């Protein structure tokens, strides 16, 4: 807790905590040096992406973070101000804002860029339809997503709904700051000068891998320097990128605890999401239910389209990629837990595992589900 800090809290520039949804909130103060060096990478990334999409002009940016107490609003507020862009802190899941007001502001302010978690892209669409809007009433051109995995298949599905591009805005956390930033090639780049990054086997802790759990040592001498900090995130590091930005490319493929035993194999969250959403368009939400014997039911909330083609495609992919049989149910009233995305746990939101009883993570996600519902 605070004993980890390299100085007193009074030496920090600002104090944050983790959400505390599954345990005691962890202190995450930041010094002025932490903020400056972390935000520089975000600013460089966003300038690059904005130039590609908007040229010399700056769009109005809607910031839609998980809560007002999170670093999200301060980080991106600082970045867009330095860029000279107008931003509005619109928090749909806040009791003081709500989805109805957020949608009104999106329309009235002609918001073109939204920074949010991937799941919120879908929840916004559902809320817009619920409140009587057409999605063509909005002028959103770019979603910058963060906070959970966003597979290419998920991004393509969001684009099919909104007609907007979807790019990674940031990969980071309250504790580790901006670990990586996005680019126009839909890749993430590590903030290399700020970290010594290792990829370890999450089970044996052996280092030196290209794919595994990301382990970080912070090289900025801030108020809370972390040494060999296990992020709990599964990543794939390496390769090249054509965008021209510095930083080692990195792909986030899910949480270590979200790996799922299924059909005789063990799968990462990104593999399951890709199998479900490949070539699927107009999907406002999904949940994968697993019964004893590894029989799978995929529940989908679909805007429109040929349901028979969607059903057949998913059944074939789950058989070929995951080795399981599947049933497909099209259902406009999905379990509200799906609205939480990775706020608590991607696995808790997307996977209903009837082979085991609900654990404390699932219970925490259910508690959070009400305020993440689009009808709030």
């Amino acid at each position: 807790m605070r004993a980890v800090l390299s100085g007193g809290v009074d030496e920090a520039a600002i104090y944050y905590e983790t959400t505390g949804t599954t345990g005691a909130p962890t202190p995450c103060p930041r010094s002025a040096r932490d903020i400056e060096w972390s935000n520089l990478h975000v600013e460089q990334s966003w300038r690059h992406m904005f130039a590609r999409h908007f040229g010399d002009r700056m769009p109005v940016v809607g910031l839609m973070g998980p809560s007002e107490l999170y670093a999200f609003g301060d980080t991106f507020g600082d970045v867009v101000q330095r860029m000279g862009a107008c931003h509005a802190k619109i928090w749909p899941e806040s009791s003081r804002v709500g989805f109805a007001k957020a949608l009104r502001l999106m329309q009235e302010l002609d918001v073109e860029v939204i920074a949010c978690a991937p799941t919120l892209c879908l929840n916004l669409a559902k809320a817009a339809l619920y409140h009587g809007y057409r999605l063509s009433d909005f002028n959103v051109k770019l979603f910058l997503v963060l906070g959970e995995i966003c597979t290419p298949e998920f991004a393509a599905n969001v684009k099919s709904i909104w007609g907007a591009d979807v790019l990674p805005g940031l990969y980071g956390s309250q504790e580790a700051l901006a670990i990586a930033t996005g680019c126009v090639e839909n890749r993430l780049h590590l903030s290399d000068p700020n970290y010594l990054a290792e990829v370890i086997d999450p089970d044996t802790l052996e280092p030196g891998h290209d794919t595994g759990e990301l382990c970080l040592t912070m090289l900025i001498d801030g108020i809370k320097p972390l040494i060999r900090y296990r992020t709990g995130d599964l990543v794939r590091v390496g390769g090249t990128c054509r965008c021209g930005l510095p930083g080692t490319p990195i792909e986030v493929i899910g949480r270590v605890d979200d790996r799922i035993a299924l059909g005789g194999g063990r799968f990462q969250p990104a593999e399951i999401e890709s199998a479900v959403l490949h070539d699927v368009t107009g999907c406002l939400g999904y949940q994968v239910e697993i019964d004893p014997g590894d029989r799978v039911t995929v529940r989908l909330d679909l805007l429109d389209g040929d349901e028979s083609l969607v059903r057949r495609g998913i059944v074939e992919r789950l058989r070929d990629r995951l080795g399981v049989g599947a049933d497909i149910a099209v259902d406009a009233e999905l379990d509200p837990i799906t609205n939480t995305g990775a706020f608590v746990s991607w696995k808790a939101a997307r996977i209903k595992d009837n082979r085991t009883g609900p654990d404390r993570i699932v219970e925490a996600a259910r508690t959070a589900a009400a305020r993440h519902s689009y009808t709030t």
Side-chain angles (χ1 to χ4, degrees), residues 63-351:
L63 303 180
M64 299 187 178
S67 81
E68 297 91 330
L69 302 179
Y70 211 66
F72 179 105
D74 293 333
T75 296
F76 296 124
D78 175 65
V79 167
V80 293
Q81 284 184 67
R82 288 204 260 184
M83 293 170 60
C86 173
H87 73 281
K89 292 185 174 72
I90 307 171
W91 311 85
E93 292 150 348
S94 165
S95 60
R96 292 180 178 271
V97 181
F99 280 89
K101 184 174 182 178
L103 291 163
R104 175 178 64 79
L105 289 170
M106 283 171 57
Q107 186 182 48
E108 290 181 357
L109 301 179
D110 197 29
V111 172
E112 293 181 277
V113 177
I114 292 178
C116 67
T119 295
L120 191 53
C121 301
L122 304 184
N123 291 350
L124 280 172
K126 289 191 286 186
L129 298 174
Y130 176 83
H131 287 289
Y133 292 96
R134 298 167 301 175
L135 297 185
S136 59
D137 293 334
F138 303 95
N139 193 32
V140 180
K141 293 184 173 63
L142 178 63
F143 284 101
L144 295 176
V145 296
L146 63 156
E148 61 191 87
I149 61 168
C150 183
T151 60
E153 292 81 4
F154 190 99
N157 173 62
V158 171
K159 186 167 186 176
S160 76
I161 295 169
W162 284 97
D165 288 333
V166 181
L167 293 175
L170 175 74
Y171 161 54
S173 68
Q174 288 278 75
E175 294 201 316
L177 288 71
I179 300 168
T181 53
C183 76
V184 295
E185 296 293 331
N186 200 23
R187 304 288 300 276
L188 285 164
H189 294 259
L190 277 167
S191 302
D192 282 332
N194 291 2
Y195 303 93
L196 173 64
E198 302 172 84
V199 180
I200 65 174
D201 184 303
D203 300 313
T204 68
L205 306 187
E206 178 188 27
H209 297 269
D210 295 325
T211 301
E213 182 180 357
L214 182 64
C215 181
L216 295 173
T217 295
M218 297 174 70
L219 302 180
I220 302 301
D221 55 340
I223 194 69
K224 188 182 178 181
L226 302 172
I227 301 173
R228 302 207 74 206
Y229 172 69
R230 294 182 61 182
T231 63
D233 292 325
L234 292 168
V235 300
R236 186 177 293 114
V237 175
T240 60
C241 184
R242 299 175 300 177
C243 75
L245 287 176
T248 305
I250 179 173
E251 178 185 1
V252 182
I253 52 182
R255 297 283 293 171
V256 171
D257 292 341
D258 286 352
R259 292 175 294 174
I260 298 164
L262 188 63
R266 197 178 191 193
F267 298 96
Q268 297 157 347
E271 294 176 295
I272 295 174
E273 182 167 277
S274 294
V276 170
L277 292 181
H278 181 78
D279 284 341
V280 173
T281 59
C283 178
L284 294 173
Y286 75 92
Q287 186 179 45
V288 178
E289 187 170 355
I290 308 173
D291 289 315
D294 288 4
R295 185 67 188 184
V296 169
T297 300
V298 178
R299 304 189 185 281
L300 302 166
D301 182 1
L302 295 177
L303 272 174
D304 49 33
D306 191 329
E307 292 183 10
S308 62
L309 288 176
V310 171
R311 292 173 192 268
R312 185 166 66 248
I314 296 176
V315 168
E316 291 174 353
R317 286 193 298 277
L318 264 61
R319 180 195 63 213
D320 296 341
R321 300 186 190 184
L322 308 182
V324 295
D327 297 314
I328 311 300
V330 176
D331 185 357
E333 297 296 330
L334 293 179
D335 187 334
I337 200 172
T338 62
N339 295 321
T340 62
F343 180 76
V344 176
S345 159
W346 177 93
K347 184 178 180 180
R350 295 299 180 193
I351 305 294

